[in-house]
Amino acid sequence: MSEETDRLHPIDTDGLVVLLQEYFALPAGKAQPTSTLETLGLDSLALMELAVVLEERTGAGLDDQLAGLTPAHTVAQVADALRSAPA
């Protein structure tokens, strides 16, 4: 698969876990659907980085879906917000 094809896929909860582990160098198993972004060590700057990475990977503008993103959100809540993104 090409890099372009890899980037333009919707991200589900499992995919978000993998992305968080890879991009933020989290130990395997640390990121779980019920983990809050805060417990994963993501601060407000990291949340901005995450939003940019998610937009690049999905190929969608996610401003509306991620506008209220805070460190208190869980991985599953972020994945749910991504599902509501326009195709």
Side-chain angles (χ1 to χ4, degrees):
M1 236 183 244
S2 72
E3 182 179 333
E4 184 71 18
T5 304
D6 289 343
R7 282 193 284 164
L8 300 178
H9 287 285
I11 296 177
D12 61 9
T13 304
D14 292 337
L16 183 56
V17 166
V18 170
L19 183 143
L20 288 166
Q21 289 175 173
E22 291 175 355
Y23 190 81
F24 294 101
L26 300 174
K30 182 171 183 177
Q32 299 293 322
T34 57
S35 302
T36 65
L37 300 175
E38 183 175 37
T39 62
L40 298 177
L42 276 66
D43 59 13
S44 58
L45 180 58
L47 295 182
M48 290 173 54
E49 288 180 54
L50 177 60
V52 169
V53 170
L54 290 170
E55 286 186 346
E56 289 174 351
R57 296 278 176 103
T58 62
L62 300 172
D63 291 343
D64 292 340
Q65 289 75 20
L66 301 179
L69 188 62
T70 70
H73 282 91
T74 66
V75 172
Q77 289 172 319
V78 176
D80 287 345
L82 294 174
R83 277 189 211 91
S84 68

